[in-house]
Amino acid sequence: MDSSGQTGSGGGRPTPDTGSAPATAKHRGDFRCWQDRAADRVAAAVAELLTLAVPVDCVCCGAEDTALCHGCASRVRRLTASPFRAGSRAPALVDMDGAVLLPVVAAGVYREELAQSLLSFKAHGQGRLAAELAPALARAIAAAGGRDKALVLVPVPTSGAAFRRRGFSPVHLLLSRARRSGVLPGTDFADVLRLAGPAARFRGRSATGWPGGQKGLGRAARARRVRGSMRLTSAGRAALAGVPCLVVDDVLTTGATLAEAARAIRAGGGVVRGAAVLAATRPTDRSGPPDAAPPLRDGPAGEKKINQKKVNNGGR
């Protein structure tokens, strides 16, 4: 595998972020040629046939014969219909005076059918849910300015252990699905972030050493765990030098992972304009509806300097 990564565009296919070599990996590629599109349709047809042989229930309500029934799918669309600014709710992305260090747009709040669908997609191998979740992520990207063709999407990497457990990288799979379905046209994404150091080995474990990722960890524990854990590939440093980027992840909790991704991109010469996520959790000390979010605009030069300094310090 070319460990340097590459930028996803019309002709090339980025390589997996975990060391897997196949060019047709389930979480990479544009599927622009007719053979790949045909294979994707065949896979969808096979999945439909499997529902006849293998019982499938809706992950939300338990309705039979579908991974996500029509009613629950409609509810997911409603929950992600109005992307909002979520950076102020992530402790690692907020300065001492309350200023947001990294603008983040979320498609919806991590709750109800959206939370159950995303959990089943990531933890229980329900890859078919990408058909509903990918457009939601695309809406967040569009609200964050992702329809600007000069803006490169940079997905947060997954660990090798997580990839082997799931068989795919959730963020990469959602981005690929969004591009194939036409809801994210003309936007490149660069698979150039890699995990580095001890965090690359232990990111799939909880603070106690057991599997479970970062779920349940507090702000300080998450910040310690991810600080210095990412780097740009050599090809990424060349490709993203001076290029505006948007970091993409699935769930926003404390913001420590996004802060580390932004630090790594900036350290490699990229210009981070913000981030987009599928869902944002509700902080325990905040209540009420999320803030409304008009599309993000390029911040002033002064704001970029503040963001660079603070994110490089782990968001403190």
Side-chain angles (χ1 to χ4, degrees), residues 145-266:
R147 293 201 184 278
D148 179 1
K149 293 185 179 181
L151 195 64
V152 175
L153 308 180
V154 183
V156 171
T158 188
S159 68
F163 182 84
R164 289 188 294 271
R165 184 172 64 250
R166 298 183 182 120
F168 63 93
S169 170
V171 179
H172 292 80
L173 178 58
L174 291 175
L175 285 175
S176 294
R177 183 60 184 252
R179 295 187 65 178
R180 295 200 306 272
S181 61
V183 295
L184 198 61
T187 304
D188 286 338
F189 73 88
D191 179 30
V192 293
L193 274 178
R194 297 291 183 271
L195 296 179
R201 298 192 300 271
F202 299 111
R203 194 181 174 204
R205 295 178 178 271
S206 67
T208 60
W210 295 99
Q214 298 194 98
K215 185 177 180 180
L217 296 181
R219 173 186 177 183
R222 285 174 181 259
R224 287 194 302 269
R225 189 176 199 182
V226 302
R227 190 177 298 122
S229 66
M230 298 183 198
R231 62 175 178 82
L232 275 186
T233 63
S234 57
R237 289 192 294 272
L240 296 187
V243 174
C245 304
L246 189 76
V247 184
V248 183
D249 204 358
D250 47 14
V251 180
L252 171 69
T253 47
T254 67
T257 299
L258 289 180
E260 172 58 19
R263 181 208 61 79
I265 294 170
R266 286 170 172 148

Side-chain angles (χ1 to χ4, degrees), residues 15 48 51 76 82 119 130 143-144 214 241 253 289 303:
T15 54
E48 292 296 329
T51 62
V76 169
S82 302
L119 176 63
Q214 298 194 98
T253 47
E303 180 183 81

Side-chain angles (χ1 to χ4, degrees), residues 88-133:
S88 62
R89 292 169 169 257
L93 302 179
V94 178
D95 201 352
M96 295 294 292
D97 60 1
V100 176
L101 306 173
L102 181 70
V104 182
V105 169
V109 176
Y110 187 79
R111 62 188 176 95
E112 300 174 9
E113 286 86 354
L114 177 58
Q116 187 60 50
S117 298
L118 185 50
L119 176 63
S120 297
F121 171 65
K122 293 180 60 176
H124 303 305
Q126 293 285 355
R128 282 169 287 183
L129 297 176
E132 201 63 54
L133 297 177

